[in-house]
Amino acid sequence: FMITRKTITPCLALACAIVTKRYLIGTFVETPENMEPDHSDWELFRTWLLGRMIPDAHLCGVTKLLGRHYEAVSALYRLLGVKVGKYVYWPGSGFRFMEPDLVELGDYVVFGSRSLFFTSDSTHRRQAVRIESGSNVSDRCVIMPGTTVKCGAVLGSGALTKQGTTYAAGTYVGSRGNECILLKKANGTMEPTESSYARAFTKSSRMPYMVLPEWFHIMWSTCCIIFAAVVARLPLVASLVLAHRRFEGEWLSYSPFALTATIGAYIFGMYPLTLILVLCLDIGSKWAFMGRRQPGSHSWDTSSYSQRWQLYLSLAPLRSFASGEHDFLDFFRGSQFLVWYYRALGARIGKNVCLYPNGADPMMTEPELVTIRDGSCIDDASLIAHLNTQGVFTINRLEIGERCVMRSFSRLQQSAVMEPKSVLMEHTLVLPADTVKANEWRQGWPAGRGWMEDVEEG
């Protein structure tokens, strides 16, 4: 039953949503400029219904079965009405397009994770969003209705676009005054070129490593989800098997209390054993697939790093074996157990460090490139040592000094350094290779500066 719920049910749910979208909900169209938005019950109901039929960013869970990033995902979005070009690199976190017909994506577009697309405003005026060929939308961006991102434009981390605005080639990040900040303007007009991800699949025979075909990624992701579903039910099934042997099949010969107490004891013992098994598989697979990461460029067309990382990430559902499909790392939040876990993955972490007491999405992704000194606290913050800019994937080190604090929704990008007793306030971005000085605090996306008085402990 669990395997069916994880594999067959998502496909049936998405198929039902696609049929309903095509034959009942219909096509969403832009609101003409000289007309008021249609506020009829039917128009509002259409958007609501599609959102209820596809309630998550993974197309009812189907993209998890397909490897999340590949051409099969593009095919599914096309069935929903999204205009998708060739070799779009989809984010692992997925997208929710509430009015999919109003989204246009060109060839070789590269996405970061956890971005949001809006195709209608608070007055229900619908405007199309266009991401042209060769552009890049990084993590945590917010794309407002009517936005056009031209070829060569890079919307960096947390970029907020302005409704009805066109963004020419250049690099944009964060937001000030309700619009993203232009960091670097490109010279002239740019033509779209193949991303490194596209080259890896279209010219696989020329790559310096064996590029696994897309069907293999689909099979691998599906098998990992099936294996995770089996592991999730392992404590209960093993407990019932042991109880059956204990009672020699004579269940009716024992009192309900004896049966309940025995099965409960077996379950109580099986969950820690399953946790140890999952920990061994999780940590072992990291070292087997990734080894010890080294700083540098690891693009799809020059290194097998990205391919191995996707194979490793497909095993992540193994950790969600606890009740309610919670990741077991959620039970370690803020404790020494989480520090030990990341040390086992290669992170250099000092004494009295508090990691993720309120969780994080995601927790550190490249632990061996992260150094955290004594007494620091990392709240619901991002320690991400990689950048994926127009398909050029690079990783580098992060360093956090003694008694530093990263508050909720702060982010330290690759090569950045926090010196002792520095603080990142809520919703703060430190740009790559930047240094937060000792006793300095920063706030903003990107960060502005402030200073704290250094008070010695008595």
Side-chain angles (χ1 to χ4, degrees):
F1 172 77
M2 190 69 173
I3 294 174
T4 301
R5 188 165 71 87
K6 289 291 186 179
T7 56
I8 306 300
T9 302
C11 297
L12 293 177
L14 180 60
C16 182
I18 291 172
V19 172
T20 303
K21 162 68 172 62
R22 180 165 296 184
Y23 296 106
L24 177 62
I25 296 174
T27 302
F28 294 98
V29 297
E30 291 188 89
T31 304
E33 291 186 6
N34 58 347
M35 292 181 59
E36 290 296 315
D38 188 349
H39 293 152
S40 66
D41 292 342
W42 170 244
E43 286 300 319
L44 301 181
F45 175 74
R46 293 167 68 206
T47 305
W48 174 88
L49 179 60
L50 184 60
R52 296 290 291 180
M53 299 199 73
I54 306 178
D56 64 344
H58 297 289
L59 298 183
C60 303
V62 174
T63 60
K64 295 180 181 180
L65 300 168
L66 302 179
R68 303 184 187 228
H69 300 287
Y70 308 110
E71 282 293 276
V73 178
S74 297
L76 293 180
Y77 277 113
R78 291 187 189 108
L79 291 175
L80 286 169
V82 182
K83 302 172 184 67
V84 184
K86 299 179 295 184
Y87 290 101
V88 171
Y89 187 78
W90 295 95
S93 59
F95 280 127
R96 285 192 73 188
F97 298 132
M98 302 306 295
E99 293 143 334
D101 306 282
L102 302 180
V103 178
E104 300 179 19
L105 308 176
D107 301 336
Y108 316 127
V109 173
V110 176
F111 285 111
S113 59
R114 298 165 186 82
S115 291
L116 299 174
F117 277 67
F118 293 97
T119 49
S120 58
D121 58 20
S122 59
T123 66
H124 302 289
R125 177 175 294 278
R126 294 185 176 127
Q127 293 177 276
V129 169
R130 297 175 177 87
I131 312 296
E132 294 189 0
S133 300
S135 55
N136 191 124
V137 178
S138 300
D139 64 287
R140 304 178 191 276
C141 293
V142 179
I143 313 299
M144 300 303 289
T147 296
T148 299
V149 181
K150 305 294 286 185
C151 175
V154 176
L155 298 185
S157 182
L160 169 66
T161 67
K162 190 173 183 178
Q163 185 171 355
T165 302
T166 297
Y167 293 89
T171 302
Y172 306 79
V173 69
S175 64
R176 294 275 170 81
N178 300 322
E179 189 173 8
C180 52
I181 301 168
L182 175 61
L183 291 183
K184 181 181 179 182
K185 187 176 182 179
N187 296 322
T189 303
M190 301 184 67
E191 296 295 328
T193 58
E194 273 190 324
S195 63
S196 63
Y197 159 73
R199 283 193 294 273
F201 283 91
T202 58
K203 301 177 176 67
S204 58
S205 61
R206 303 180 190 175
M207 295 300 108
Y209 65 98
M210 186 179 75
V211 179
L212 298 173
E214 185 174 349
W215 65 263
F216 181 90
H217 289 279
I218 294 174
M219 293 296 296
W220 174 260
S221 298
T222 302
C223 289
C224 287
I225 288 176
I226 292 173
F227 183 45
V230 172
V231 171
R233 290 295 176 262
L234 181 61
L236 179 59
V237 173
S239 298
L240 291 175
V241 171
L242 291 173
H244 181 78
R245 292 186 176 182
R246 166 69 177 80
F247 298 123
E248 298 179 348
E250 300 295 331
W251 297 87
L252 298 179
S253 302
Y254 296 86
S255 67
F257 175 79
L259 294 173
T260 303
T262 302
I263 295 174
Y266 283 138
I267 292 175
F268 186 80
M270 285 304 302
Y271 266 103
L273 293 176
T274 304
L275 173 60
I276 294 172
L277 171 64
V278 171
L279 274 171
C280 292
L281 291 172
D282 183 43
I283 296 172
S285 63
K286 183 270 171 190
W287 291 106
F289 282 107
M290 307 308 303
R292 182 171 293 278
R293 295 178 174 93
Q294 297 298 326
S297 177
H298 301 278
S299 299
W300 275 90
D301 58 348
T302 59
S303 169
S304 64
Y305 176 92
S306 295
Q307 178 172 270
R308 290 184 284 112
W309 194 27
Q310 296 310 316
L311 296 176
Y312 164 60
L313 290 179
S314 295
L315 290 167
L318 275 175
R319 298 201 303 260
S320 302
F321 72 91
S323 177
E325 299 183 8
H326 290 291
D327 190 321
F328 72 75
L329 295 181
D330 289 336
F331 300 107
F332 293 166
R333 296 188 298 190
S335 72
Q336 185 65 23
F337 293 107
L338 195 58
V339 172
W340 290 338
Y341 172 78
Y342 280 110
R343 283 177 181 167
L345 293 179
R348 291 176 286 275
I349 304 176
K351 300 176 183 177
N352 300 320
V353 170
C354 180
L355 289 179
Y356 309 122
N358 294 302
D361 182 25
M363 296 184 183
M364 66 179 82
T365 52
E366 293 89 6
E368 59 267 72
L369 299 179
V370 177
T371 299
I372 305 175
R373 306 296 181 187
D374 298 349
S376 293
C377 180
I378 313 299
D379 201 349
D380 185 2
S382 297
L383 289 170
I384 309 298
H386 69 262
L387 284 178
N388 186 11
T389 305
Q390 293 182 312
V392 179
F393 191 94
T394 59
I395 58 176
N396 220 322
R397 300 190 185 280
L398 297 171
E399 184 169 346
I400 299 172
E402 294 183 358
R403 298 174 61 188
C404 291
V405 175
M406 293 181 66
R407 294 188 176 180
S408 295
F409 306 115
S410 59
R411 179 176 180 182
L412 202 65
Q413 291 193 305
Q414 65 169 230
S415 303
V417 176
M418 291 182 69
E419 293 186 351
K421 300 182 183 178
S422 56
V423 177
L424 300 187
M425 306 295 282
E426 288 82 356
H427 197 261
T428 298
L429 172 69
V430 176
L431 295 173
D434 198 358
T435 296
V436 185
K437 298 297 184 181
N439 299 302
E440 182 183 10
W441 63 263
R442 292 196 184 184
Q443 202 283 324
W445 200 290
R449 299 183 178 184
W451 296 90
M452 298 183 298
E453 182 180 355
D454 188 8
V455 180
E456 295 294 336
E457 294 181 352

